[in-house]
Amino acid sequence: APTLWDFNWLVGHWRGKGLGGDCEETWLPATGGSMLGTFKFIKGDNVAFFEMMSITIDSVGPALRVKHFNADMTGWEDKAEMVTFRYDSTSANQIFFGGVRFLRPSKDSLLITVSFKTKDGGTKEELIRCRRVEIK
């Protein structure tokens, strides 16, 4: 069974393109039984939405939990709700959580693939291509 340390290669500050705009994702190292991450999506010159993310291990196994916020920090989900992606598999440079895949093809490159449900009942995949950056 994987531990949080198996996901530690996500740690860092990442910027890139995807979803039709600019994306920024940051992951902190595992402490206190979880990893914490943030995601910011910028369309044009304005923030469109934010996400708070955590990776934890519960009685079922690892899970990626996400809460979404509008630019004014009003939540998409109800107060006690979140979107949960259950762990599928991992390898040296890849993690699958349900409809989210993290792939690190090189030390400074992170590819994030997210599967969305479409209005017609199908699914659509979006690729976010990120590079590691320093926080200044």
Side-chain angles (χ1 to χ4, degrees):
T3 68
L4 289 177
W5 301 112
D6 294 314
F7 311 129
N8 218 31
W9 54 261
L10 282 172
V11 171
H13 187 76
W14 307 90
R15 284 191 188 141
K17 300 280 186 187
L19 307 169
D22 296 312
C23 302
E24 190 169 352
E25 183 155 316
T26 302
W27 283 97
L28 298 173
T31 56
S34 70
M35 288 181 68
L36 183 64
T38 61
F39 178 85
K40 179 169 54 173
F41 177 67
I42 300 166
K43 184 84 170 174
D45 292 331
N46 299 305
V47 171
F49 69 90
F50 299 100
E51 295 176 350
M52 289 293 300
M53 304 173 290
S54 71
I55 298 174
T56 58
I57 299 178
D58 58 24
S59 61
V60 178
L64 169 65
R65 292 184 173 85
V66 181
K67 287 194 75 87
H68 300 85
F69 301 90
N70 293 310
D72 64 0
M73 294 299 289
T74 54
W76 294 9
E77 295 86 14
D78 287 335
K79 186 176 181 178
E81 293 180 3
M82 67 208 76
V83 179
T84 300
F85 300 93
R86 298 306 311 185
Y87 169 80
D88 285 328
S89 63
T90 190
S91 65
N93 66 343
Q94 188 166 238
I95 306 168
F96 286 96
F97 283 102
V100 179
R101 180 179 76 163
F102 297 95
L103 172 65
R104 199 177 87 184
S106 69
K107 179 179 174 253
D108 294 323
S109 177
L110 179 66
L111 303 177
I112 306 165
T113 305
V114 182
S115 294
F116 297 94
K117 292 190 187 284
T118 59
K119 292 179 183 178
D120 64 3
T123 57
K124 172 183 169 185
E125 284 193 344
E126 290 284 345
L127 176 63
I128 303 167
R129 297 176 182 273
C130 299
R131 303 287 303 161
R132 184 183 302 275
V133 296
E134 285 187 42
I135 297 177
K136 296 179 181 185

